[in-house]
Amino acid sequence: MISISKPVWGLLAAIAVILVLHLLSPILMPFLLAAVLAYIGDPLADRLEARGMGRTAAVVTVFVLLTVFAVLALLITVPLLIEQIQLLIERIYDGLAWIQETGLPTLRQYLDLPEQSKPMEAAKDALSEHWESAGGILFYLWEKVTGSSLALLTWVANATLVPVVTFYLLRDWDVLMAAIRNLLPRSVEAQTVVIARQCDEILGAFARGQLLVMMALALIYTVGLWFVGLDLALVLGLVAGLASIVPYLGVIVGISAAGLAAFFQFDSVWLLVGVAAVFGVGQALESMILTPMLVGEKIGLHPVVVIFAILVGGQLFGFVGILLALPVAAVIKVMINHLHDYYKRSELYEDKCEAAKPEAPE
């Protein structure tokens, strides 16, 4: 009988897991989303349970809080976002008109360029055509979704599965973790638990801490831009807050977009300074207060790694891959750290030949 070493078994198991995830990716989305929500809500349920509340009651409390927060967020932000997106389209047309009527003539005057036909008219027509095409595509997709009873039932089933699976996973989370630990081979159980705890520190800091940082920054940017008087304060604040999942990206995207919007809305340079001040204050609060208090130094994922992981996950597995990208990146980082430590202790790293050399005579 052919004997297979443990590393080979581990490699085969990893390949099998990846293959199963790839084959089941069309139906995994609601379960993975429920697992993410359960993972985020488990620490709060544990704290309520530690205060004497039963596990089911604690889970119901957390579940109700998450549901109320999500519903309120949707009811408040969706109508405002629709209004702001319509305003954004108007601002794009205004920007194109300014470029055609002011920007290009000024540029031609300074560079002494000959008069040409109006290229921005073609750009505006193309933009209008694409917006209409996009609206037609969305309408077509909506007709397909609502016109097909099977697709509609699938969508409703997925939307229903997420809260149901979240509730049961959240209620039995500690039991599931204990069962998985008991299934581990005894020879690797201790080391696996150490690695799992390190992964949990990274993922916990990212999933909970970074989420709170993003929400806080979105609120700071939105309120600050609203105070300055920017019409697109909500949509630009939310975009900048979401982009802050990668350090400094939120500031770069936000100040560029908000500065451009302020340039077309205001005639005063001081209001542009006010926009820059809003993002400066937000960045200072993030680096000095929000990140140290909510996240700390536990993440350790380089911004380039975060971008690369999300893009690779989305390319390979779609939305499911995006959900799995950062957890997988965190696990890989922890494994690389352990391999690095093992390499530094190995004979391959230690130069035995140098150690065995006799000392040179004085």
Short mmCIF file of all heavy atoms in Angstrom, two decimals, residues 267-335:
data_model
loop_
_atom_site.label_atom_id
_atom_site.label_comp_id
_atom_site.label_asym_id
_atom_site.label_seq_id
_atom_site.Cartn_x
_atom_site.Cartn_y
_atom_site.Cartn_z
N ASP A 267 -17.10 79.34 -6.41
CA ASP A 267 -16.21 80.28 -7.08
C ASP A 267 -15.06 80.71 -6.18
O ASP A 267 -14.15 81.41 -6.61
CB ASP A 267 -16.98 81.53 -7.53
CG ASP A 267 -18.02 81.20 -8.58
OD1 ASP A 267 -17.78 80.26 -9.36
OD2 ASP A 267 -19.08 81.86 -8.61
N SER A 268 -15.10 80.30 -4.91
CA SER A 268 -14.12 80.74 -3.94
C SER A 268 -13.04 79.67 -3.74
O SER A 268 -13.34 78.47 -3.61
CB SER A 268 -14.79 81.05 -2.59
OG SER A 268 -13.82 81.34 -1.61
N VAL A 269 -11.79 80.12 -3.72
CA VAL A 269 -10.68 79.20 -3.47
C VAL A 269 -10.68 78.74 -2.01
O VAL A 269 -10.24 77.63 -1.70
CB VAL A 269 -9.34 79.89 -3.83
CG1 VAL A 269 -8.16 78.99 -3.52
CG2 VAL A 269 -9.34 80.30 -5.29
N TRP A 270 -11.19 79.58 -1.12
CA TRP A 270 -11.18 79.24 0.30
C TRP A 270 -12.04 78.02 0.59
O TRP A 270 -11.76 77.27 1.53
CB TRP A 270 -11.66 80.43 1.13
CG TRP A 270 -10.68 81.56 1.13
CD1 TRP A 270 -10.79 82.77 0.48
CD2 TRP A 270 -9.41 81.58 1.79
NE1 TRP A 270 -9.69 83.54 0.69
CE2 TRP A 270 -8.81 82.85 1.50
CE3 TRP A 270 -8.73 80.67 2.59
CZ2 TRP A 270 -7.56 83.19 2.00
CZ3 TRP A 270 -7.47 81.03 3.09
CH2 TRP A 270 -6.90 82.27 2.78
N LEU A 271 -13.08 77.81 -0.19
CA LEU A 271 -13.90 76.62 0.02
C LEU A 271 -13.15 75.37 -0.41
O LEU A 271 -13.36 74.29 0.14
CB LEU A 271 -15.22 76.76 -0.73
CG LEU A 271 -16.15 77.84 -0.16
CD1 LEU A 271 -17.40 77.97 -1.01
CD2 LEU A 271 -16.52 77.52 1.27
N LEU A 272 -12.27 75.49 -1.41
CA LEU A 272 -11.40 74.37 -1.75
C LEU A 272 -10.45 74.06 -0.61
O LEU A 272 -10.16 72.89 -0.32
CB LEU A 272 -10.60 74.70 -3.02
CG LEU A 272 -11.40 74.83 -4.32
CD1 LEU A 272 -10.48 75.25 -5.46
CD2 LEU A 272 -12.08 73.51 -4.66
N VAL A 273 -9.99 75.11 0.05
CA VAL A 273 -9.15 74.90 1.24
C VAL A 273 -9.96 74.21 2.34
O VAL A 273 -9.44 73.36 3.06
CB VAL A 273 -8.59 76.25 1.73
CG1 VAL A 273 -7.80 76.08 3.03
CG2 VAL A 273 -7.71 76.89 0.67
N GLY A 274 -11.23 74.58 2.45
CA GLY A 274 -12.09 73.93 3.44
C GLY A 274 -12.26 72.45 3.16
O GLY A 274 -12.26 71.62 4.08
N VAL A 275 -12.41 72.07 1.88
CA VAL A 275 -12.51 70.65 1.51
C VAL A 275 -11.22 69.92 1.89
O VAL A 275 -11.26 68.81 2.46
CB VAL A 275 -12.78 70.52 0.00
CG1 VAL A 275 -12.65 69.06 -0.45
CG2 VAL A 275 -14.18 71.03 -0.32
N ALA A 276 -10.08 70.53 1.58
CA ALA A 276 -8.81 69.91 1.96
C ALA A 276 -8.68 69.78 3.47
O ALA A 276 -8.16 68.78 3.98
CB ALA A 276 -7.65 70.73 1.39
N ALA A 277 -9.19 70.77 4.20
CA ALA A 277 -9.12 70.72 5.66
C ALA A 277 -9.97 69.58 6.22
O ALA A 277 -9.58 68.92 7.20
CB ALA A 277 -9.57 72.05 6.25
N VAL A 278 -11.12 69.32 5.59
CA VAL A 278 -11.98 68.22 6.06
C VAL A 278 -11.23 66.89 5.97
O VAL A 278 -11.22 66.10 6.93
CB VAL A 278 -13.27 68.17 5.21
CG1 VAL A 278 -14.03 66.87 5.48
CG2 VAL A 278 -14.14 69.37 5.52
N PHE A 279 -10.58 66.64 4.85
CA PHE A 279 -9.86 65.38 4.70
C PHE A 279 -8.58 65.35 5.54
O PHE A 279 -8.15 64.29 5.98
CB PHE A 279 -9.55 65.12 3.23
CG PHE A 279 -10.76 64.72 2.44
CD1 PHE A 279 -11.50 65.67 1.77
CD2 PHE A 279 -11.16 63.40 2.39
CE1 PHE A 279 -12.63 65.31 1.04
CE2 PHE A 279 -12.29 63.03 1.68
CZ PHE A 279 -13.03 63.99 1.00
N GLY A 280 -7.98 66.52 5.75
CA GLY A 280 -6.83 66.56 6.64
C GLY A 280 -7.20 66.21 8.06
O GLY A 280 -6.49 65.44 8.73
N VAL A 281 -8.32 66.76 8.54
CA VAL A 281 -8.79 66.44 9.89
C VAL A 281 -9.16 64.96 9.99
O VAL A 281 -8.84 64.28 10.97
CB VAL A 281 -9.99 67.33 10.26
CG1 VAL A 281 -10.64 66.85 11.56
CG2 VAL A 281 -9.55 68.78 10.40
N GLY A 282 -9.84 64.45 8.94
CA GLY A 282 -10.21 63.03 8.96
C GLY A 282 -8.99 62.12 8.99
O GLY A 282 -8.97 61.13 9.74
N GLN A 283 -7.97 62.46 8.20
CA GLN A 283 -6.76 61.65 8.19
C GLN A 283 -6.04 61.70 9.52
O GLN A 283 -5.51 60.70 10.02
CB GLN A 283 -5.83 62.11 7.06
CG GLN A 283 -4.56 61.31 6.92
CD GLN A 283 -4.82 59.86 6.58
OE1 GLN A 283 -5.84 59.54 5.97
NE2 GLN A 283 -3.93 58.97 6.99
N ALA A 284 -6.01 62.89 10.14
CA ALA A 284 -5.37 63.03 11.45
C ALA A 284 -6.11 62.21 12.51
O ALA A 284 -5.49 61.53 13.34
CB ALA A 284 -5.31 64.50 11.84
N LEU A 285 -7.44 62.28 12.50
CA LEU A 285 -8.22 61.50 13.46
C LEU A 285 -8.02 60.01 13.24
O LEU A 285 -7.95 59.23 14.20
CB LEU A 285 -9.69 61.86 13.35
CG LEU A 285 -10.10 63.26 13.82
CD1 LEU A 285 -11.57 63.52 13.54
CD2 LEU A 285 -9.81 63.41 15.32
N GLU A 286 -7.94 59.59 11.97
CA GLU A 286 -7.74 58.17 11.68
C GLU A 286 -6.40 57.68 12.21
O GLU A 286 -6.32 56.63 12.87
CB GLU A 286 -7.82 57.93 10.18
CG GLU A 286 -7.56 56.46 9.79
CD GLU A 286 -7.38 56.26 8.31
OE1 GLU A 286 -7.29 57.27 7.59
OE2 GLU A 286 -7.31 55.10 7.88
N SER A 287 -5.33 58.42 11.94
CA SER A 287 -3.99 57.95 12.30
C SER A 287 -3.71 58.06 13.80
O SER A 287 -3.00 57.23 14.36
CB SER A 287 -2.94 58.74 11.52
OG SER A 287 -3.05 60.13 11.79
N MET A 288 -4.28 59.09 14.47
CA MET A 288 -3.95 59.32 15.87
C MET A 288 -4.95 58.72 16.85
O MET A 288 -4.59 58.41 17.99
CB MET A 288 -3.82 60.83 16.13
CG MET A 288 -2.63 61.47 15.43
SD MET A 288 -2.37 63.19 15.91
CE MET A 288 -3.86 63.96 15.28
N ILE A 289 -6.22 58.57 16.43
CA ILE A 289 -7.25 58.12 17.37
C ILE A 289 -7.95 56.87 16.90
O ILE A 289 -7.97 55.85 17.60
CB ILE A 289 -8.28 59.26 17.61
CG1 ILE A 289 -7.60 60.48 18.22
CG2 ILE A 289 -9.40 58.77 18.52
CD1 ILE A 289 -8.53 61.67 18.41
N LEU A 290 -8.56 56.92 15.68
CA LEU A 290 -9.44 55.84 15.26
C LEU A 290 -8.70 54.52 15.08
O LEU A 290 -9.07 53.49 15.67
CB LEU A 290 -10.15 56.23 13.96
CG LEU A 290 -11.11 57.42 14.05
CD1 LEU A 290 -11.65 57.78 12.67
CD2 LEU A 290 -12.24 57.10 15.01
N THR A 291 -7.65 54.51 14.25
CA THR A 291 -6.93 53.26 13.99
C THR A 291 -6.24 52.71 15.23
O THR A 291 -6.37 51.51 15.52
CB THR A 291 -5.93 53.46 12.84
OG1 THR A 291 -6.65 53.82 11.65
CG2 THR A 291 -5.14 52.18 12.59
N PRO A 292 -5.51 53.52 16.02
CA PRO A 292 -4.92 52.95 17.25
C PRO A 292 -5.95 52.42 18.23
O PRO A 292 -5.71 51.40 18.89
CB PRO A 292 -4.14 54.14 17.84
CG PRO A 292 -3.88 55.03 16.69
CD PRO A 292 -5.07 54.91 15.80
N MET A 293 -7.11 53.07 18.34
CA MET A 293 -8.09 52.67 19.33
C MET A 293 -8.93 51.49 18.85
O MET A 293 -9.23 50.57 19.62
CB MET A 293 -9.01 53.85 19.66
CG MET A 293 -10.07 53.54 20.72
SD MET A 293 -11.03 55.00 21.17
CE MET A 293 -11.86 55.34 19.61
N LEU A 294 -9.32 51.48 17.57
CA LEU A 294 -10.24 50.46 17.07
C LEU A 294 -9.55 49.27 16.41
O LEU A 294 -10.08 48.17 16.40
CB LEU A 294 -11.22 51.09 16.07
CG LEU A 294 -12.11 52.21 16.62
CD1 LEU A 294 -12.94 52.82 15.51
CD2 LEU A 294 -13.00 51.68 17.74
N VAL A 295 -8.38 49.50 15.83
CA VAL A 295 -7.70 48.44 15.09
C VAL A 295 -6.41 48.03 15.75
O VAL A 295 -6.12 46.85 15.93
CB VAL A 295 -7.42 48.89 13.63
CG1 VAL A 295 -6.69 47.80 12.86
CG2 VAL A 295 -8.72 49.24 12.94
N GLY A 296 -5.59 49.01 16.15
CA GLY A 296 -4.29 48.70 16.71
C GLY A 296 -3.32 48.28 15.61
O GLY A 296 -3.44 48.65 14.46
N GLU A 297 -2.34 47.49 16.00
CA GLU A 297 -1.31 47.03 15.06
C GLU A 297 -1.46 45.56 14.71
O GLU A 297 -0.51 44.89 14.37
CB GLU A 297 0.08 47.28 15.67
CG GLU A 297 0.36 48.73 16.01
CD GLU A 297 0.37 49.63 14.79
OE1 GLU A 297 0.72 49.13 13.70
OE2 GLU A 297 0.03 50.82 14.92
N LYS A 298 -2.68 45.03 14.81
CA LYS A 298 -2.86 43.59 14.66
C LYS A 298 -3.06 43.15 13.21
O LYS A 298 -2.91 41.97 12.92
CB LYS A 298 -4.08 43.14 15.48
CG LYS A 298 -3.91 43.34 16.98
CD LYS A 298 -5.15 42.87 17.72
CE LYS A 298 -4.99 43.07 19.23
NZ LYS A 298 -6.20 42.63 19.96
N ILE A 299 -3.42 44.07 12.33
CA ILE A 299 -3.75 43.64 10.97
C ILE A 299 -2.51 43.16 10.24
O ILE A 299 -2.41 42.01 9.84
CB ILE A 299 -4.44 44.78 10.19
CG1 ILE A 299 -5.80 45.06 10.82
CG2 ILE A 299 -4.63 44.39 8.75
CD1 ILE A 299 -6.55 46.16 10.12
N GLY A 300 -1.56 44.05 10.06
CA GLY A 300 -0.30 43.66 9.43
C GLY A 300 -0.41 43.31 7.97
O GLY A 300 0.51 42.73 7.41
N LEU A 301 -1.53 43.61 7.31
CA LEU A 301 -1.67 43.36 5.88
C LEU A 301 -1.30 44.63 5.12
O LEU A 301 -1.91 45.67 5.31
CB LEU A 301 -3.11 42.95 5.54
CG LEU A 301 -3.57 41.58 6.05
CD1 LEU A 301 -5.03 41.36 5.68
CD2 LEU A 301 -2.72 40.47 5.48
N HIS A 302 -0.31 44.53 4.28
CA HIS A 302 0.14 45.69 3.51
C HIS A 302 -0.97 46.14 2.57
O HIS A 302 -1.73 45.31 2.06
CB HIS A 302 1.40 45.31 2.71
CG HIS A 302 2.13 46.49 2.17
ND1 HIS A 302 1.78 47.07 0.96
CD2 HIS A 302 3.18 47.20 2.64
CE1 HIS A 302 2.58 48.09 0.73
NE2 HIS A 302 3.44 48.19 1.73
N PRO A 303 -1.11 47.46 2.36
CA PRO A 303 -2.16 47.93 1.45
C PRO A 303 -2.12 47.28 0.07
O PRO A 303 -3.17 46.98 -0.51
CB PRO A 303 -1.88 49.43 1.36
CG PRO A 303 -1.21 49.77 2.65
CD PRO A 303 -0.42 48.56 3.03
N VAL A 304 -0.92 47.05 -0.47
CA VAL A 304 -0.82 46.40 -1.78
C VAL A 304 -1.36 44.97 -1.71
O VAL A 304 -2.01 44.48 -2.64
CB VAL A 304 0.65 46.41 -2.27
CG1 VAL A 304 0.77 45.65 -3.58
CG2 VAL A 304 1.14 47.84 -2.45
N VAL A 305 -1.09 44.29 -0.58
CA VAL A 305 -1.60 42.93 -0.40
C VAL A 305 -3.12 42.93 -0.36
O VAL A 305 -3.77 42.05 -0.93
CB VAL A 305 -1.01 42.31 0.89
CG1 VAL A 305 -1.62 40.94 1.16
CG2 VAL A 305 0.50 42.19 0.78
N VAL A 306 -3.71 43.92 0.32
CA VAL A 306 -5.17 44.02 0.40
C VAL A 306 -5.77 44.20 -1.00
O VAL A 306 -6.72 43.50 -1.39
CB VAL A 306 -5.57 45.20 1.31
CG1 VAL A 306 -7.08 45.41 1.27
CG2 VAL A 306 -5.13 44.92 2.74
N ILE A 307 -5.21 45.12 -1.79
CA ILE A 307 -5.72 45.36 -3.15
C ILE A 307 -5.57 44.10 -4.00
O ILE A 307 -6.50 43.67 -4.69
CB ILE A 307 -4.98 46.54 -3.79
CG1 ILE A 307 -5.23 47.81 -3.00
CG2 ILE A 307 -5.41 46.73 -5.24
CD1 ILE A 307 -4.41 49.00 -3.47
N PHE A 308 -4.38 43.50 -3.95
CA PHE A 308 -4.11 42.32 -4.77
C PHE A 308 -5.03 41.16 -4.38
O PHE A 308 -5.56 40.46 -5.25
CB PHE A 308 -2.64 41.91 -4.62
CG PHE A 308 -2.25 40.73 -5.47
CD1 PHE A 308 -2.05 40.89 -6.84
CD2 PHE A 308 -2.08 39.47 -4.91
CE1 PHE A 308 -1.69 39.81 -7.62
CE2 PHE A 308 -1.73 38.38 -5.70
CZ PHE A 308 -1.53 38.56 -7.06
N ALA A 309 -5.22 40.95 -3.08
CA ALA A 309 -6.07 39.85 -2.63
C ALA A 309 -7.51 40.03 -3.09
O ALA A 309 -8.15 39.08 -3.55
CB ALA A 309 -6.01 39.74 -1.10
N ILE A 310 -8.04 41.25 -2.99
CA ILE A 310 -9.42 41.50 -3.39
C ILE A 310 -9.58 41.30 -4.90
O ILE A 310 -10.55 40.69 -5.37
CB ILE A 310 -9.85 42.92 -2.98
CG1 ILE A 310 -9.93 43.00 -1.46
CG2 ILE A 310 -11.18 43.29 -3.59
CD1 ILE A 310 -10.23 44.39 -0.93
N LEU A 311 -8.61 41.80 -5.68
CA LEU A 311 -8.71 41.65 -7.14
C LEU A 311 -8.60 40.19 -7.55
O LEU A 311 -9.34 39.71 -8.42
CB LEU A 311 -7.61 42.47 -7.81
CG LEU A 311 -7.74 44.00 -7.72
CD1 LEU A 311 -6.56 44.68 -8.39
CD2 LEU A 311 -9.05 44.46 -8.34
N VAL A 312 -7.67 39.44 -6.94
CA VAL A 312 -7.51 38.02 -7.27
C VAL A 312 -8.76 37.24 -6.88
O VAL A 312 -9.26 36.40 -7.65
CB VAL A 312 -6.26 37.44 -6.58
CG1 VAL A 312 -6.23 35.93 -6.71
CG2 VAL A 312 -5.00 38.04 -7.18
N GLY A 313 -9.29 37.50 -5.68
CA GLY A 313 -10.50 36.80 -5.25
C GLY A 313 -11.67 37.07 -6.16
O GLY A 313 -12.41 36.16 -6.54
N GLY A 314 -11.85 38.34 -6.55
CA GLY A 314 -12.94 38.66 -7.46
C GLY A 314 -12.77 38.06 -8.83
O GLY A 314 -13.74 37.62 -9.45
N GLN A 315 -11.53 38.01 -9.31
CA GLN A 315 -11.27 37.43 -10.63
C GLN A 315 -11.52 35.93 -10.66
O GLN A 315 -12.06 35.39 -11.62
CB GLN A 315 -9.82 37.73 -11.05
CG GLN A 315 -9.41 37.14 -12.38
CD GLN A 315 -10.15 37.76 -13.55
OE1 GLN A 315 -10.57 38.92 -13.48
NE2 GLN A 315 -10.34 37.01 -14.62
N LEU A 316 -11.12 35.23 -9.59
CA LEU A 316 -11.22 33.77 -9.58
C LEU A 316 -12.60 33.26 -9.18
O LEU A 316 -13.11 32.30 -9.76
CB LEU A 316 -10.16 33.19 -8.62
CG LEU A 316 -8.70 33.40 -9.03
CD1 LEU A 316 -7.78 32.80 -7.98
CD2 LEU A 316 -8.42 32.77 -10.39
N PHE A 317 -13.21 33.90 -8.18
CA PHE A 317 -14.46 33.36 -7.63
C PHE A 317 -15.60 34.36 -7.57
O PHE A 317 -16.61 34.10 -6.93
CB PHE A 317 -14.21 32.79 -6.22
CG PHE A 317 -13.18 31.70 -6.18
CD1 PHE A 317 -11.91 31.97 -5.71
CD2 PHE A 317 -13.47 30.43 -6.63
CE1 PHE A 317 -10.94 30.97 -5.66
CE2 PHE A 317 -12.52 29.43 -6.59
CZ PHE A 317 -11.24 29.70 -6.11
N GLY A 318 -15.44 35.54 -8.19
CA GLY A 318 -16.51 36.52 -8.18
C GLY A 318 -16.73 37.11 -6.79
O GLY A 318 -15.79 37.35 -6.03
N PHE A 319 -18.01 37.34 -6.45
CA PHE A 319 -18.33 37.95 -5.16
C PHE A 319 -17.91 37.06 -4.01
O PHE A 319 -17.48 37.56 -2.95
CB PHE A 319 -19.83 38.26 -5.09
CG PHE A 319 -20.23 38.99 -3.84
CD1 PHE A 319 -19.93 40.33 -3.69
CD2 PHE A 319 -20.90 38.33 -2.82
CE1 PHE A 319 -20.29 41.01 -2.53
CE2 PHE A 319 -21.27 38.99 -1.67
CZ PHE A 319 -20.97 40.35 -1.53
N VAL A 320 -18.04 35.75 -4.18
CA VAL A 320 -17.59 34.82 -3.15
C VAL A 320 -16.09 34.98 -2.91
O VAL A 320 -15.61 34.97 -1.76
CB VAL A 320 -17.92 33.37 -3.54
CG1 VAL A 320 -17.30 32.38 -2.56
CG2 VAL A 320 -19.43 33.17 -3.60
N GLY A 321 -15.34 35.16 -3.98
CA GLY A 321 -13.90 35.36 -3.84
C GLY A 321 -13.55 36.64 -3.12
O GLY A 321 -12.58 36.70 -2.36
N ILE A 322 -14.35 37.70 -3.34
CA ILE A 322 -14.12 38.96 -2.63
C ILE A 322 -14.33 38.77 -1.14
O ILE A 322 -13.57 39.29 -0.31
CB ILE A 322 -15.05 40.05 -3.19
CG1 ILE A 322 -14.66 40.38 -4.63
CG2 ILE A 322 -15.00 41.31 -2.33
CD1 ILE A 322 -15.58 41.36 -5.32
N LEU A 323 -15.37 38.01 -0.76
CA LEU A 323 -15.60 37.74 0.66
C LEU A 323 -14.48 36.92 1.28
O LEU A 323 -14.13 37.10 2.45
CB LEU A 323 -16.94 37.02 0.85
CG LEU A 323 -18.22 37.81 0.57
CD1 LEU A 323 -19.43 36.94 0.76
CD2 LEU A 323 -18.30 39.03 1.48
N LEU A 324 -13.90 36.00 0.50
CA LEU A 324 -12.86 35.12 1.02
C LEU A 324 -11.46 35.70 0.90
O LEU A 324 -10.52 35.17 1.49
CB LEU A 324 -12.90 33.78 0.28
CG LEU A 324 -14.11 32.88 0.52
CD1 LEU A 324 -14.02 31.64 -0.35
CD2 LEU A 324 -14.18 32.47 1.99
N ALA A 325 -11.30 36.79 0.14
CA ALA A 325 -9.96 37.27 -0.19
C ALA A 325 -9.15 37.64 1.04
O ALA A 325 -8.03 37.14 1.23
CB ALA A 325 -10.08 38.48 -1.13
N LEU A 326 -9.70 38.49 1.89
CA LEU A 326 -8.93 38.95 3.04
C LEU A 326 -8.72 37.86 4.09
O LEU A 326 -7.63 37.76 4.66
CB LEU A 326 -9.60 40.18 3.65
CG LEU A 326 -9.57 41.41 2.74
CD1 LEU A 326 -10.28 42.58 3.39
CD2 LEU A 326 -8.14 41.79 2.41
N PRO A 327 -9.73 37.01 4.41
CA PRO A 327 -9.43 35.90 5.30
C PRO A 327 -8.33 34.99 4.78
O PRO A 327 -7.44 34.58 5.54
CB PRO A 327 -10.78 35.15 5.39
CG PRO A 327 -11.79 36.19 5.12
CD PRO A 327 -11.18 37.11 4.13
N VAL A 328 -8.36 34.67 3.49
CA VAL A 328 -7.31 33.82 2.92
C VAL A 328 -5.97 34.52 2.98
O VAL A 328 -4.94 33.91 3.31
CB VAL A 328 -7.67 33.42 1.48
CG1 VAL A 328 -6.50 32.72 0.80
CG2 VAL A 328 -8.90 32.52 1.47
N ALA A 329 -5.95 35.83 2.69
CA ALA A 329 -4.69 36.58 2.76
C ALA A 329 -4.14 36.60 4.18
O ALA A 329 -2.92 36.48 4.39
CB ALA A 329 -4.91 38.01 2.26
N ALA A 330 -5.02 36.73 5.16
CA ALA A 330 -4.57 36.71 6.55
C ALA A 330 -3.99 35.35 6.94
O ALA A 330 -2.96 35.27 7.61
CB ALA A 330 -5.73 37.07 7.49
N VAL A 331 -4.66 34.28 6.50
CA VAL A 331 -4.15 32.93 6.80
C VAL A 331 -2.80 32.72 6.13
O VAL A 331 -1.86 32.18 6.74
CB VAL A 331 -5.17 31.87 6.34
CG1 VAL A 331 -4.57 30.47 6.46
CG2 VAL A 331 -6.45 31.96 7.17
N ILE A 332 -2.67 33.15 4.88
CA ILE A 332 -1.40 32.99 4.17
C ILE A 332 -0.30 33.78 4.87
O ILE A 332 0.83 33.32 5.00
CB ILE A 332 -1.56 33.44 2.70
CG1 ILE A 332 -2.47 32.46 1.96
CG2 ILE A 332 -0.20 33.53 2.01
CD1 ILE A 332 -2.78 32.88 0.54
N LYS A 333 -0.63 34.99 5.34
CA LYS A 333 0.37 35.80 6.04
C LYS A 333 0.85 35.09 7.30
O LYS A 333 2.05 35.05 7.59
CB LYS A 333 -0.23 37.15 6.41
CG LYS A 333 0.72 38.02 7.22
CD LYS A 333 0.06 39.29 7.67
CE LYS A 333 1.04 40.14 8.47
NZ LYS A 333 1.48 39.48 9.71
N VAL A 334 -0.08 34.54 8.07
CA VAL A 334 0.31 33.83 9.29
C VAL A 334 1.16 32.61 8.96
O VAL A 334 2.17 32.33 9.62
CB VAL A 334 -0.94 33.43 10.10
CG1 VAL A 334 -0.57 32.54 11.28
CG2 VAL A 334 -1.67 34.67 10.59
N MET A 335 0.75 31.87 7.91
CA MET A 335 1.52 30.69 7.52
C MET A 335 2.93 31.07 7.07
O MET A 335 3.91 30.38 7.39
CB MET A 335 0.79 29.95 6.41
CG MET A 335 -0.56 29.38 6.81
SD MET A 335 -0.44 28.18 8.16
CE MET A 335 0.49 26.90 7.36
#
